[in-house]
Amino acid sequence: FQVTSLSPTPACNAMDWVVIGGGGGGGTTLAGGGGAGGYKESPGTATGSYSGSPTKGQGTAVTATVTSYTIVVNGGGPGATGNTNPGANGGVSSALGITSAGGGFGAGNAGADGGPGASGGGGSGCGSQSCGGAGNTPPSSPSQGQAGGRGRNVPGDRGGGGGGGTGAAGGNGQPPYAGGVGGAGVSSSITGAAVSRGGGGGGGGNANAPDRGGAGGAGGGGRGGGSSPTSGVNGTANTGGGGGGGAGSNPSEAGGNGGSGIVIIRYKIQ
């Protein structure tokens, strides 16, 4: 992103921004959903008032200078394949000196906890009791994300935890054999229209009917695998949404990939 000249009006040199990391990938086998990528936003008052997200204010608007700015938009973590495997954390995005972490992975190993990240991944519903991964890692104020949900590990009644979203924690695995819902994302009108981003991936449920995959969080979170589809659904590109956890261990029941992050820069045009 290159700035070649400046406005004589100082207010027109201000840049508001949103920086979102990549979402975490979902695991396999009644698995946890991936956590949403970190969501950071400027206060949204420097370039004309608009409706920002509840997370706005992790930094101030940036005053442009004549220079080239490095923009890094990273991808989501890949979803797992094979038997009881975890997904992978999402990638870090950065711009204008702002860095947003990737979302935590959804757990797949029996009894394993979800991965920590900007929003935590959901815990495994296979094996012993498991916890969701911690959110807001590394810490930011306001928080860049929430914790993942706990996997439900009652014998004969299991389900993966939902991945955390920017605006809400992931849901716990639910009876009977149902994945937890992904945590909701947040909405911003920085582009001129309200768009939700940063939803967590749903937890994996039973692959038999009726469908018990956990719903993906609003804002790009992928649905958890159930009877159809059995694989976790990918997080939506350019939202940082977490991938859904897979319902089983076959190749067709993989965890969903996390959605890629995004960088948005808003400035006035004379």
Side-chain angles (χ1 to χ4, degrees):
F1 176 68
Q2 188 173 29
V3 176
T4 58
S5 63
L6 299 177
S7 169
T9 305
C12 292
N13 295 320
M15 299 184 290
D16 277 313
W17 45 265
V18 166
V19 179
I20 301 176
T28 60
T29 314
L30 295 170
Y39 193 119
K40 294 184 179 181
E41 182 172 10
S42 62
T45 56
T47 59
S49 182
Y50 62 89
S51 179
S53 74
T55 70
K56 66 183 181 182
Q58 287 101 333
T60 61
V62 174
T63 300
T65 60
V66 176
T67 189
S68 294
Y69 294 91
T70 299
I71 308 295
V72 177
V73 178
N74 239 313
T81 59
N83 188 32
T84 61
N85 289 320
N89 281 14
V92 174
S93 294
S94 62
L96 307 178
I98 309 300
T99 299
S100 291
F105 62 81
N109 294 335
D113 296 338
S119 291
S124 169
C126 181
S128 59
Q129 191 69 28
S130 66
C131 297
N136 198 32
T137 304
S140 172
S141 181
S143 174
Q144 62 177 316
Q146 310 298 321
R150 181 184 296 272
R152 181 176 175 84
N153 304 97
V154 178
D157 196 6
R158 306 177 188 274
T166 303
N172 298 334
Q174 297 292 315
Y177 266 116
V181 299
V186 295
S187 176
S188 172
S189 299
I190 189 171
T191 59
V195 178
S196 292
R197 303 178 179 89
N206 196 339
N208 299 320
D211 188 21
R212 295 193 173 107
R223 181 178 177 81
S227 61
S228 180
T230 54
S231 297
V233 176
N234 296 338
T236 303
N238 304 130
T239 67
S249 58
N250 294 325
S252 62
E253 297 167 348
N257 300 327
S260 57
I262 192 171
V263 170
I264 302 168
I265 298 173
R266 174 183 168 119
Y267 55 91
K268 292 182 177 181
I269 298 177
Q270 289 181 298

